[in-house]
Amino acid sequence: MGHLDHAAFGLLTPVLSYAMAVVGAALGLRCTVRALDASGPSRRNWLITAASAIGTGIWTMHFVAMLGFAVRGTDIRYNVPLTILSLLVAMLVVGAGLFCVGFGRDRARSLLVGGLTTGLGVASMHYLGMAALRLHGTVRYDPLLIVLSVVIAVVAATAALWAALNIKSPVAVAVASLVMGGAVSSMHYTGMLAVSVRVEPSGAGLPGATAMQFIFPLAVGLGSYLFVTSAFVALSPTARERAAYTSAERPTKAAPAEFPASTGPPAASTASTTTSATA
């Protein structure tokens, strides 16, 4: 059996991956809260943004953590198409869960279905990403730990969607994001504990790309997307702020309409004076 190291760079990758999970969760929850206050195309657009944020945050968390993954006795490469597929699956399945919550009429049923769908999406992303691994050896999994990791993912997703439906305060959303980030990280490392590798030394080259060639640049790009989108969401007004701005403008627009009426009596008085002078 090959010796597995889940933190080859020390605490750097676990801490950074947790931070990415928290940022993605916070942005996704804020977008979901905005979506629930909107309707029509606006609700759809906010939910799409939320799905891309959560999916991107989870994917970036996974592969930043994988930068610290090493197996003694073999190099590691990643299959590029499978790695990209794992990102798309994360976004699409998380989006399906969010749309279920955003447009469902029965909140309890929508929450359960959405949480299950989103959780399975998170787990699917993780194990697709693991399937993209290429190394000299055989990868095996502990079935019990796989099931536990999936359960953690479903519970975390359901709790996050419940928070989006019931928590409106930015401070409460921040706390929920910290909890969700911890749950996603726990799911990842539980899934990684299920892994064992039987190394088969070989001098043959491995197909695929190294983490630094492919995953690191992509993770940096997606992380930048999360931070830019976070700034956009923070600066865009909420539905309540737009309503307050509209109501504050109405008296200003009504004032010019009242002005001619107030000047009526002096004009009438002037006309009367002119008539008297003529007489």
Side-chain angles (χ1 to χ4, degrees):
M1 289 293 178
H3 173 73
L4 276 61
D5 190 349
H6 297 287
F9 298 103
L11 291 176
L12 175 63
T13 50
V15 171
L16 185 57
S17 63
Y18 170 72
M20 297 310 299
V22 170
V23 171
L27 179 56
L29 290 179
R30 289 304 299 163
C31 290
T32 305
V33 169
R34 297 286 187 93
L36 295 175
D37 287 338
S39 60
S42 180
R43 173 172 291 195
R44 178 201 62 205
N45 294 339
W46 278 117
L47 288 175
I48 291 174
T49 306
S52 67
I54 295 176
T56 298
I58 293 169
W59 187 94
T60 307
M61 176 270 146
H62 172 83
F63 281 102
V64 166
M66 291 302 291
L67 291 174
F69 178 70
V71 181
R72 185 178 300 169
T74 178
D75 293 329
I76 294 176
R77 299 288 187 273
Y78 292 89
N79 179 280
V80 173
L82 268 180
T83 303
I84 293 176
L85 179 62
S86 68
L87 172 61
L88 297 178
V89 166
M91 291 184 179
L92 291 175
V93 183
V94 169
L98 290 175
F99 270 78
C100 183
V101 170
F103 289 98
R105 295 183 179 180
D106 186 335
R107 278 204 165 187
R109 182 182 301 175
S110 299
L111 180 61
L112 292 176
V113 174
L116 178 62
T117 304
T118 304
L120 291 177
V122 173
S124 299
M125 181 281 306
H126 175 86
Y127 289 106
L128 269 174
M130 292 303 295
L133 278 177
R134 297 292 180 265
L135 47 76
H136 292 303
T138 305
V139 180
R140 296 176 180 172
Y141 294 91
D142 183 331
L144 290 179
L145 287 175
I146 288 177
V147 172
L148 179 59
S149 69
V150 173
V151 170
I152 292 174
V154 171
V155 171
T158 305
L161 293 178
W162 178 89
L165 288 171
N166 296 280
I167 296 176
K168 305 299 182 184
S169 164
V171 174
V173 169
V175 173
S177 302
L178 293 172
V179 174
M180 186 180 176
V184 171
S185 296
S186 299
M187 178 267 161
H188 170 83
Y189 285 105
T190 300
M192 294 306 296
L193 287 176
V195 176
S196 61
V197 178
R198 184 181 183 87
V199 176
E200 301 166 0
S202 172
L206 287 167
T210 66
M212 289 301 176
Q213 286 174 338
F214 171 64
I215 291 176
F216 181 72
L218 187 56
V220 170
L222 292 175
S224 301
Y225 162 77
L226 285 177
F227 284 106
V228 170
T229 309
S230 298
F232 168 76
V233 173
L235 294 174
S236 63
T238 64
R240 291 182 180 180
E241 289 170 345
R242 286 195 300 270
Y245 179 75
T246 303
S247 61
E249 272 197 331
R250 283 174 185 168
T252 306
K253 291 181 179 179
E258 295 173 359
F259 181 75
S262 64
T263 57
S269 175
T270 304
S272 300
T273 305
T274 306
T275 303
S276 300
T278 304

